[in-house]
Structures are given as C-alpha cells and as structure tokens.
Amino acid sequence: MTSKERFSRMFQHKEADRVPIFDSPWAGTIARWEREGMPKGMDWRDYFDTDKVSTISVDITPRYEEKVLEETDDYRIVTSEWGVTMKQFKEQDSTPEFLDFTVTTPEAWEKAKARMTVSKDRVDWKRLEQDYAKWQQEGHWIEGMFWFGFDVTHSWTVGTETMLIAMIEEPEWVEDMFDTYLDRSIQHFNMIWDAGYRFDSIFWYDDMGYKNTPFFSNEMYRSLLQKYHKKAVAWAHDHGIYARLHSCGDIMPLLPDIMDTGIDALNPIEIKAGMDVFKIKQDYGDRLVLHGGINAVLWDDKEAIVEAIRQAVPVLKENGGYIFASDHSIPNSVSLENMQSIINTVKEVGKY
C-alpha cells in the first residue's frame, strides 16, 4: 500500500496492511545516522522504508525585516519576520532564546496586522509546480499547514507572559489575533485549492499544555480558542478532507472540549507530560486518529523502547485509527541501530 492508502484507511478507522509510520527526526539525529551508516543526503524515510507526508505551507507573517544584530562563534542574535528578537545558538538542535517582541500591545498588533496582507506571492508556487506531481505519483499523504492559535501566537509573536495576561485582561485583542491568523491561512489555502492543488488534511501547531497540566482552563479554552479550532475543522470538512491537531503537553482535561471541535486526529500525545494514550483510545478511538503516544525518553534504550512498542501498538492499532510516532520527535540520542530496531518492531506488531 502507498502512504496515502494507509493514512486513508486510518482516518476511516479501518485496517490497512500495517500502521503508518510518520515522525520527525532532529537535524542532529539525521547527521548521527549518516555518521553511523545511512548514505549522506538520503531521505531517511527511504532508508527505513517508512511513510511519506508532504506539507504545503504559506507565509502569513507581517514580514518585518530579518536582520542579524550580533554574531559570535557560538550564536547569532536575529530579528524574525514576526518581529521577534532571538538568540539562535549554533550548536545543532539547540532551542532559540527569545529576547524581545515587537508586538506587545494591541496598538503594536494593529500595525503588524496591517502588514499581514493577502497576496499570491505568499504561496511557494514554484515548489508546488516542481514537487506536487511527484508527491501524487509516489502516493504521499499531503497536508496543508495552517498557522494560528494559542501556541504560535505566544511563541512567535507576543511572548508567553504577555499572552497569558492578555487572555484574562484583554481577551478581545487575543481573539483578534487568533481570528486574523486563521483568516490569513484560510485565504491563502483557498488560493492553493482554487489553483487545483489538492491535499488530504490540514494540521496546525497549538501546544496547549506543559507537564501535567494545560496552560489554561476549559472555560478559557471554550471562550477564546475553541471557536477558531472549530472554524479550521469546518473548512477542512467542507473541502472533504481531514483536520489534525498537534498539541504538546498534558491536555487531558481539555480533551472533551477539543473533541467538540470535530478534529479527526491528535498528535503527539505526550506521555512524558502526563497524557494517557490508552484512555484516549478507549474514550475516543472510534472517532479520533491517535498519532504518536510512544515515549521519546525511551528511544535510546533498545530493550525499553521495543517493549513499549510491543505493549502499546497492538492496542492502539485496533480497528484502525493509529499512526506510529514518538510523543514529540526523534532526538539525536537515538542511534541508527536503535531506529532500525524500532522500525522493524513497529512493522512486526503493527501488521493487520
């Protein structure tokens, strides 16, 4: 079966030849695998014979000038298209340190919003022209990446503290940001759809939890954010495709309200943060595709991760509706040998 055929069966909650395998290794992980024997420059998905998902994205940023303010042997301090100043460390797989934000008030937001224009040059048409036919020919699952919600707004635009305070004190401003981000995403994906490019699902990043708790209450989710999740899902369903939500952290308390949005799939189901993948399967497995749910902390321990896979995958694959992945991404602590063992085990116990 092709990747598209496997994914389609999972979203229909039907069995396939095996569960699909769709994950994201870090750049340092790829480099390690190449040092350990994977041919340099080879697509890791070809090496391990896993499934292929291709993503279409658009640019909805305010297009602030990107500048390098300082550079040393260890880091660069830059400003982004979102107007965020950050320290980017040159060590592979490091996380940037956010230093300053342009958008910290409703007035600053209005200026940024005016720059978030809708135009054809915000779509990478050249990439679509070059790659889309190949994706289709090879049977890739194709996703459109929307950019909206709590996570990307606080992370890449206003800062976490400003965002959380504004959700209480200035909810109208917060909703306007959610609405604008989603509106710009929809308008540009309408252009892509109208140009004849079809995709199988949409997804968006919206981390709403951290360790053992969400960032906010169910009441706040329902009053500020849920309607925009519903709107994104409705757009997908109106186009005959699916909607997949990525939300790291422990969002177990939010799940009843998240399910009311109509999402079709949830990722990454972060076990180490407090998520209970077996309870989610029991409660929602007949209508929700589970993508992930395998503790990434275990992946560098060959015996532990193989045992975890043998325990989890036979349960999670029942009646379809499961896509194998870690509960975050594949860190550079995972050797080529371990990864091959992981893939072999998934293909063995993930057969139907």
Side-chain angles (χ1 to χ4, degrees), residues 148-195:
F148 76 100
F150 167 78
D151 179 24
V152 299
T153 308
H154 86 80
S155 297
W156 296 103
T157 303
V158 302
T160 305
E161 184 176 349
T162 298
M163 181 69 167
L164 291 173
I165 293 171
M167 290 175 77
I168 298 171
E169 298 183 351
E170 299 175 285
E172 297 84 1
W173 172 31
V174 171
E175 284 205 56
D176 189 44
M177 289 190 286
F178 293 165
D179 184 61
T180 300
Y181 274 50
L182 180 55
D183 173 74
R184 301 301 185 268
S185 293
I186 286 175
Q187 289 199 59
H188 288 97
F189 275 100
N190 280 339
M191 290 183 194
I192 293 169
W193 195 271
D194 291 344

Short mmCIF file of all heavy atoms in Angstrom, two decimals, residues 148-195:
data_model
loop_
_atom_site.label_atom_id
_atom_site.label_comp_id
_atom_site.label_asym_id
_atom_site.label_seq_id
_atom_site.Cartn_x
_atom_site.Cartn_y
_atom_site.Cartn_z
N PHE A 148 -2.09 29.23 13.27
CA PHE A 148 -2.96 30.05 14.11
C PHE A 148 -3.07 29.42 15.48
O PHE A 148 -2.64 28.28 15.68
CB PHE A 148 -4.36 30.19 13.49
CG PHE A 148 -5.23 28.96 13.65
CD1 PHE A 148 -6.20 28.92 14.63
CD2 PHE A 148 -5.05 27.85 12.83
CE1 PHE A 148 -6.99 27.79 14.80
CE2 PHE A 148 -5.84 26.71 13.00
CZ PHE A 148 -6.82 26.68 13.98
N GLY A 149 -3.67 30.13 16.43
CA GLY A 149 -3.95 29.56 17.73
C GLY A 149 -3.08 30.08 18.84
O GLY A 149 -2.26 30.99 18.66
N PHE A 150 -3.23 29.50 20.02
CA PHE A 150 -2.52 29.95 21.21
C PHE A 150 -1.01 29.80 21.07
O PHE A 150 -0.25 30.73 21.33
CB PHE A 150 -3.01 29.14 22.42
CG PHE A 150 -2.15 29.30 23.65
CD1 PHE A 150 -2.27 30.43 24.44
CD2 PHE A 150 -1.24 28.32 24.00
CE1 PHE A 150 -1.47 30.58 25.58
CE2 PHE A 150 -0.44 28.45 25.13
CZ PHE A 150 -0.56 29.60 25.92
N ASP A 151 -0.57 28.64 20.65
CA ASP A 151 0.85 28.32 20.66
C ASP A 151 1.67 29.26 19.80
O ASP A 151 2.61 29.91 20.27
CB ASP A 151 1.05 26.87 20.19
CG ASP A 151 2.51 26.46 20.14
OD1 ASP A 151 3.32 27.07 20.86
OD2 ASP A 151 2.84 25.51 19.41
N VAL A 152 1.33 29.36 18.52
CA VAL A 152 2.17 30.15 17.63
C VAL A 152 2.05 31.65 17.91
O VAL A 152 2.98 32.41 17.63
CB VAL A 152 1.86 29.85 16.15
CG1 VAL A 152 2.12 28.38 15.84
CG2 VAL A 152 0.43 30.21 15.78
N THR A 153 0.93 32.07 18.50
CA THR A 153 0.77 33.49 18.81
C THR A 153 1.65 33.88 20.00
O THR A 153 2.36 34.90 19.95
CB THR A 153 -0.69 33.82 19.12
OG1 THR A 153 -1.51 33.34 18.06
CG2 THR A 153 -0.89 35.33 19.25
N HIS A 154 1.65 33.07 21.04
CA HIS A 154 2.50 33.44 22.18
C HIS A 154 3.97 33.14 21.89
O HIS A 154 4.85 33.91 22.29
CB HIS A 154 2.04 32.74 23.47
CG HIS A 154 2.59 31.36 23.70
ND1 HIS A 154 3.85 31.15 24.22
CD2 HIS A 154 2.04 30.13 23.54
CE1 HIS A 154 4.06 29.84 24.35
NE2 HIS A 154 2.98 29.20 23.94
N SER A 155 4.26 32.06 21.15
CA SER A 155 5.65 31.69 20.91
C SER A 155 6.36 32.63 19.96
O SER A 155 7.50 33.02 20.19
CB SER A 155 5.72 30.26 20.35
OG SER A 155 5.22 29.33 21.25
N TRP A 156 5.68 32.98 18.86
CA TRP A 156 6.36 33.66 17.76
C TRP A 156 5.94 35.11 17.56
O TRP A 156 6.44 35.77 16.66
CB TRP A 156 6.14 32.87 16.47
CG TRP A 156 6.77 31.53 16.54
CD1 TRP A 156 6.14 30.33 16.76
CD2 TRP A 156 8.16 31.22 16.45
NE1 TRP A 156 7.06 29.30 16.79
CE2 TRP A 156 8.31 29.82 16.60
CE3 TRP A 156 9.31 32.01 16.24
CZ2 TRP A 156 9.55 29.19 16.57
CZ3 TRP A 156 10.54 31.36 16.20
CH2 TRP A 156 10.65 29.98 16.35
N THR A 157 5.02 35.61 18.38
CA THR A 157 4.55 36.97 18.15
C THR A 157 4.62 37.85 19.39
O THR A 157 5.26 38.91 19.37
CB THR A 157 3.12 36.98 17.60
OG1 THR A 157 3.08 36.20 16.41
CG2 THR A 157 2.67 38.40 17.25
N VAL A 158 3.96 37.47 20.48
CA VAL A 158 3.81 38.40 21.60
C VAL A 158 4.58 38.00 22.85
O VAL A 158 4.79 38.83 23.74
CB VAL A 158 2.32 38.60 21.97
CG1 VAL A 158 1.55 39.09 20.77
CG2 VAL A 158 1.71 37.33 22.52
N GLY A 159 4.96 36.73 22.98
CA GLY A 159 5.61 36.26 24.19
C GLY A 159 4.61 35.62 25.15
O GLY A 159 3.45 36.04 25.22
N THR A 160 5.05 34.63 25.89
CA THR A 160 4.15 33.84 26.73
C THR A 160 3.49 34.67 27.82
O THR A 160 2.28 34.61 28.03
CB THR A 160 4.91 32.66 27.35
OG1 THR A 160 5.54 31.90 26.31
CG2 THR A 160 3.98 31.76 28.13
N GLU A 161 4.28 35.45 28.54
CA GLU A 161 3.72 36.22 29.66
C GLU A 161 2.69 37.23 29.17
O GLU A 161 1.59 37.34 29.73
CB GLU A 161 4.84 36.94 30.41
CG GLU A 161 4.36 37.70 31.64
CD GLU A 161 5.49 38.32 32.42
OE1 GLU A 161 6.67 38.02 32.14
OE2 GLU A 161 5.21 39.12 33.34
N THR A 162 3.02 37.95 28.11
CA THR A 162 2.08 38.92 27.55
C THR A 162 0.78 38.24 27.13
O THR A 162 -0.32 38.74 27.38
CB THR A 162 2.71 39.64 26.35
OG1 THR A 162 3.86 40.36 26.80
CG2 THR A 162 1.73 40.60 25.69
N MET A 163 0.92 37.08 26.50
CA MET A 163 -0.24 36.37 26.00
C MET A 163 -1.15 35.90 27.14
O MET A 163 -2.38 36.11 27.10
CB MET A 163 0.22 35.16 25.18
CG MET A 163 -0.89 34.34 24.59
SD MET A 163 -1.73 35.24 23.29
CE MET A 163 -2.67 33.91 22.55
N LEU A 164 -0.58 35.29 28.15
CA LEU A 164 -1.40 34.75 29.24
C LEU A 164 -2.11 35.86 30.00
O LEU A 164 -3.27 35.71 30.40
CB LEU A 164 -0.53 33.92 30.18
CG LEU A 164 0.00 32.60 29.59
CD1 LEU A 164 0.99 31.93 30.54
CD2 LEU A 164 -1.13 31.64 29.26
N ILE A 165 -1.44 36.99 30.19
CA ILE A 165 -2.10 38.13 30.86
C ILE A 165 -3.21 38.69 29.98
O ILE A 165 -4.32 38.99 30.46
CB ILE A 165 -1.07 39.23 31.20
CG1 ILE A 165 -0.09 38.73 32.27
CG2 ILE A 165 -1.76 40.50 31.67
CD1 ILE A 165 1.08 39.64 32.53
N ALA A 166 -2.94 38.79 28.69
CA ALA A 166 -3.94 39.33 27.77
C ALA A 166 -5.17 38.44 27.69
O ALA A 166 -6.29 38.93 27.51
CB ALA A 166 -3.33 39.51 26.38
N MET A 167 -5.01 37.14 27.84
CA MET A 167 -6.16 36.24 27.79
C MET A 167 -7.14 36.55 28.91
O MET A 167 -8.34 36.31 28.77
CB MET A 167 -5.69 34.78 27.86
CG MET A 167 -4.98 34.32 26.59
SD MET A 167 -4.29 32.64 26.68
CE MET A 167 -5.79 31.66 26.47
N ILE A 168 -6.64 37.10 30.00
CA ILE A 168 -7.51 37.48 31.11
C ILE A 168 -7.97 38.93 30.99
O ILE A 168 -9.16 39.23 31.14
CB ILE A 168 -6.77 37.28 32.45
CG1 ILE A 168 -6.42 35.80 32.65
CG2 ILE A 168 -7.61 37.79 33.62
CD1 ILE A 168 -5.51 35.53 33.82
N GLU A 169 -7.03 39.83 30.69
CA GLU A 169 -7.32 41.26 30.77
C GLU A 169 -7.75 41.87 29.44
O GLU A 169 -8.47 42.88 29.44
CB GLU A 169 -6.09 42.00 31.29
CG GLU A 169 -5.70 41.58 32.71
CD GLU A 169 -4.52 42.38 33.26
OE1 GLU A 169 -3.89 43.14 32.48
OE2 GLU A 169 -4.23 42.25 34.47
N GLU A 170 -7.32 41.29 28.32
CA GLU A 170 -7.64 41.87 27.00
C GLU A 170 -8.06 40.78 26.03
O GLU A 170 -7.44 40.59 24.97
CB GLU A 170 -6.43 42.65 26.46
CG GLU A 170 -6.00 43.80 27.34
CD GLU A 170 -4.74 44.47 26.85
OE1 GLU A 170 -3.66 43.90 27.02
OE2 GLU A 170 -4.85 45.58 26.28
N PRO A 171 -9.11 40.03 26.34
CA PRO A 171 -9.49 38.89 25.51
C PRO A 171 -9.87 39.27 24.08
O PRO A 171 -9.70 38.47 23.16
CB PRO A 171 -10.68 38.29 26.26
CG PRO A 171 -11.21 39.39 27.12
CD PRO A 171 -10.01 40.19 27.51
N GLU A 172 -10.39 40.49 23.88
CA GLU A 172 -10.75 40.91 22.52
C GLU A 172 -9.52 40.97 21.63
O GLU A 172 -9.57 40.61 20.44
CB GLU A 172 -11.44 42.28 22.54
CG GLU A 172 -12.76 42.30 23.29
CD GLU A 172 -12.57 42.50 24.79
OE1 GLU A 172 -11.41 42.64 25.25
OE2 GLU A 172 -13.59 42.52 25.52
N TRP A 173 -8.41 41.45 22.18
CA TRP A 173 -7.16 41.50 21.42
C TRP A 173 -6.70 40.09 21.06
O TRP A 173 -6.33 39.80 19.91
CB TRP A 173 -6.09 42.24 22.24
CG TRP A 173 -4.71 42.19 21.66
CD1 TRP A 173 -4.37 42.14 20.34
CD2 TRP A 173 -3.47 42.18 22.38
NE1 TRP A 173 -3.01 42.10 20.19
CE2 TRP A 173 -2.43 42.12 21.42
CE3 TRP A 173 -3.15 42.22 23.74
CZ2 TRP A 173 -1.07 42.11 21.79
CZ3 TRP A 173 -1.80 42.21 24.09
CH2 TRP A 173 -0.78 42.15 23.13
N VAL A 174 -6.75 39.19 22.03
CA VAL A 174 -6.33 37.80 21.80
C VAL A 174 -7.18 37.17 20.70
O VAL A 174 -6.65 36.54 19.77
CB VAL A 174 -6.44 37.00 23.10
CG1 VAL A 174 -6.22 35.51 22.84
CG2 VAL A 174 -5.43 37.51 24.13
N GLU A 175 -8.48 37.35 20.77
CA GLU A 175 -9.34 36.77 19.74
C GLU A 175 -9.08 37.36 18.37
O GLU A 175 -9.16 36.66 17.35
CB GLU A 175 -10.82 36.96 20.13
CG GLU A 175 -11.27 36.01 21.22
CD GLU A 175 -12.77 35.78 21.15
OE1 GLU A 175 -13.26 35.36 20.09
OE2 GLU A 175 -13.44 36.05 22.18
N ASP A 176 -8.76 38.64 18.33
CA ASP A 176 -8.46 39.25 17.04
C ASP A 176 -7.20 38.64 16.43
O ASP A 176 -7.14 38.43 15.21
CB ASP A 176 -8.29 40.76 17.19
CG ASP A 176 -8.20 41.48 15.85
OD1 ASP A 176 -9.01 41.16 14.94
OD2 ASP A 176 -7.32 42.35 15.69
N MET A 177 -6.23 38.33 17.26
CA MET A 177 -5.03 37.67 16.74
C MET A 177 -5.36 36.27 16.24
O MET A 177 -4.96 35.88 15.13
CB MET A 177 -3.93 37.64 17.81
CG MET A 177 -3.32 39.01 18.10
SD MET A 177 -1.84 38.97 19.15
CE MET A 177 -2.58 38.61 20.75
N PHE A 178 -6.10 35.50 17.04
CA PHE A 178 -6.50 34.16 16.59
C PHE A 178 -7.25 34.25 15.26
O PHE A 178 -7.00 33.48 14.32
CB PHE A 178 -7.40 33.50 17.63
CG PHE A 178 -6.74 33.15 18.93
CD1 PHE A 178 -7.51 32.84 20.05
CD2 PHE A 178 -5.35 33.11 19.06
CE1 PHE A 178 -6.91 32.50 21.25
CE2 PHE A 178 -4.75 32.77 20.26
CZ PHE A 178 -5.54 32.47 21.37
N ASP A 179 -8.19 35.18 15.18
CA ASP A 179 -9.05 35.31 14.01
C ASP A 179 -8.24 35.72 12.79
O ASP A 179 -8.44 35.18 11.69
CB ASP A 179 -10.16 36.32 14.27
CG ASP A 179 -11.13 36.43 13.12
OD1 ASP A 179 -11.78 35.41 12.79
OD2 ASP A 179 -11.25 37.53 12.54
N THR A 180 -7.32 36.66 12.97
CA THR A 180 -6.52 37.15 11.84
C THR A 180 -5.60 36.06 11.31
O THR A 180 -5.52 35.84 10.09
CB THR A 180 -5.70 38.38 12.26
OG1 THR A 180 -6.59 39.41 12.70
CG2 THR A 180 -4.85 38.89 11.11
N TYR A 181 -4.90 35.37 12.21
CA TYR A 181 -4.02 34.29 11.78
C TYR A 181 -4.80 33.26 10.96
O TYR A 181 -4.36 32.83 9.88
CB TYR A 181 -3.44 33.57 13.00
CG TYR A 181 -2.20 34.15 13.61
CD1 TYR A 181 -2.09 35.49 13.93
CD2 TYR A 181 -1.12 33.33 13.91
CE1 TYR A 181 -0.96 35.99 14.52
CE2 TYR A 181 0.02 33.83 14.51
CZ TYR A 181 0.10 35.16 14.82
OH TYR A 181 1.23 35.64 15.41
N LEU A 182 -5.95 32.84 11.49
CA LEU A 182 -6.74 31.81 10.81
C LEU A 182 -7.29 32.32 9.49
O LEU A 182 -7.26 31.61 8.48
CB LEU A 182 -7.86 31.31 11.71
CG LEU A 182 -8.76 30.22 11.13
CD1 LEU A 182 -7.97 29.02 10.65
CD2 LEU A 182 -9.82 29.80 12.15
N ASP A 183 -7.79 33.55 9.49
CA ASP A 183 -8.32 34.12 8.26
C ASP A 183 -7.27 34.18 7.17
O ASP A 183 -7.54 33.83 6.01
CB ASP A 183 -8.85 35.53 8.53
CG ASP A 183 -9.27 36.24 7.25
OD1 ASP A 183 -10.32 35.89 6.69
OD2 ASP A 183 -8.52 37.13 6.79
N ARG A 184 -6.05 34.60 7.51
CA ARG A 184 -4.99 34.69 6.50
C ARG A 184 -4.61 33.30 6.00
O ARG A 184 -4.34 33.10 4.82
CB ARG A 184 -3.77 35.40 7.07
CG ARG A 184 -4.02 36.82 7.57
CD ARG A 184 -4.56 37.75 6.48
NE ARG A 184 -4.65 39.12 6.97
CZ ARG A 184 -5.72 39.67 7.53
NH1 ARG A 184 -6.85 38.95 7.64
NH2 ARG A 184 -5.71 40.92 7.94
N SER A 185 -4.59 32.32 6.91
CA SER A 185 -4.30 30.95 6.48
C SER A 185 -5.36 30.47 5.51
O SER A 185 -5.05 29.93 4.43
CB SER A 185 -4.24 30.02 7.70
OG SER A 185 -3.14 30.30 8.52
N ILE A 186 -6.62 30.66 5.86
CA ILE A 186 -7.71 30.19 5.01
C ILE A 186 -7.68 30.87 3.64
O ILE A 186 -7.83 30.20 2.60
CB ILE A 186 -9.06 30.41 5.71
CG1 ILE A 186 -9.24 29.38 6.83
CG2 ILE A 186 -10.21 30.34 4.72
CD1 ILE A 186 -10.48 29.59 7.67
N GLN A 187 -7.48 32.18 3.62
CA GLN A 187 -7.49 32.87 2.33
C GLN A 187 -6.39 32.36 1.41
O GLN A 187 -6.60 32.21 0.20
CB GLN A 187 -7.34 34.39 2.54
CG GLN A 187 -8.57 35.03 3.16
CD GLN A 187 -8.60 36.52 2.93
OE1 GLN A 187 -8.59 36.99 1.80
NE2 GLN A 187 -8.63 37.28 4.03
N HIS A 188 -5.21 32.08 1.96
CA HIS A 188 -4.13 31.61 1.10
C HIS A 188 -4.32 30.15 0.69
O HIS A 188 -4.01 29.77 -0.44
CB HIS A 188 -2.78 31.83 1.79
CG HIS A 188 -2.37 33.27 1.85
ND1 HIS A 188 -2.58 34.07 2.95
CD2 HIS A 188 -1.82 34.07 0.90
CE1 HIS A 188 -2.15 35.29 2.69
NE2 HIS A 188 -1.70 35.32 1.46
N PHE A 189 -4.88 29.34 1.58
CA PHE A 189 -5.15 27.96 1.17
C PHE A 189 -6.34 27.88 0.22
O PHE A 189 -6.41 26.95 -0.60
CB PHE A 189 -5.33 27.05 2.40
CG PHE A 189 -4.01 26.55 2.91
CD1 PHE A 189 -3.40 27.13 4.01
CD2 PHE A 189 -3.35 25.53 2.25
CE1 PHE A 189 -2.17 26.68 4.46
CE2 PHE A 189 -2.12 25.07 2.69
CZ PHE A 189 -1.53 25.66 3.80
N ASN A 190 -7.23 28.83 0.27
CA ASN A 190 -8.26 28.91 -0.77
C ASN A 190 -7.63 29.14 -2.14
O ASN A 190 -8.06 28.56 -3.15
CB ASN A 190 -9.24 30.05 -0.46
CG ASN A 190 -10.29 29.66 0.57
OD1 ASN A 190 -10.56 28.48 0.79
ND2 ASN A 190 -10.89 30.66 1.20
N MET A 191 -6.61 30.00 -2.19
CA MET A 191 -5.90 30.23 -3.46
C MET A 191 -5.29 28.93 -3.98
O MET A 191 -5.39 28.62 -5.18
CB MET A 191 -4.75 31.24 -3.25
CG MET A 191 -5.13 32.65 -2.98
SD MET A 191 -3.60 33.63 -2.87
CE MET A 191 -4.26 35.14 -2.14
N ILE A 192 -4.66 28.18 -3.08
CA ILE A 192 -4.00 26.94 -3.48
C ILE A 192 -5.03 25.93 -3.98
O ILE A 192 -4.85 25.28 -5.02
CB ILE A 192 -3.19 26.38 -2.29
CG1 ILE A 192 -2.03 27.31 -1.96
CG2 ILE A 192 -2.68 24.97 -2.59
CD1 ILE A 192 -1.33 27.00 -0.64
N TRP A 193 -6.13 25.81 -3.24
CA TRP A 193 -7.18 24.87 -3.62
C TRP A 193 -7.80 25.27 -4.97
O TRP A 193 -8.01 24.42 -5.84
CB TRP A 193 -8.25 24.84 -2.53
CG TRP A 193 -9.18 23.68 -2.64
CD1 TRP A 193 -10.36 23.64 -3.34
CD2 TRP A 193 -9.04 22.39 -2.02
NE1 TRP A 193 -10.96 22.41 -3.20
CE2 TRP A 193 -10.17 21.62 -2.40
CE3 TRP A 193 -8.09 21.81 -1.19
CZ2 TRP A 193 -10.36 20.31 -1.96
CZ3 TRP A 193 -8.27 20.50 -0.77
CH2 TRP A 193 -9.39 19.77 -1.15
N ASP A 194 -8.06 26.56 -5.11
CA ASP A 194 -8.68 27.04 -6.35
C ASP A 194 -7.74 26.89 -7.54
O ASP A 194 -8.21 26.83 -8.69
CB ASP A 194 -9.08 28.52 -6.20
CG ASP A 194 -10.23 28.71 -5.23
OD1 ASP A 194 -10.91 27.71 -4.90
OD2 ASP A 194 -10.45 29.86 -4.79
N ALA A 195 -6.43 26.83 -7.29
CA ALA A 195 -5.47 26.62 -8.38
C ALA A 195 -5.38 25.15 -8.78
O ALA A 195 -4.62 24.81 -9.71
CB ALA A 195 -4.09 27.14 -7.96
#
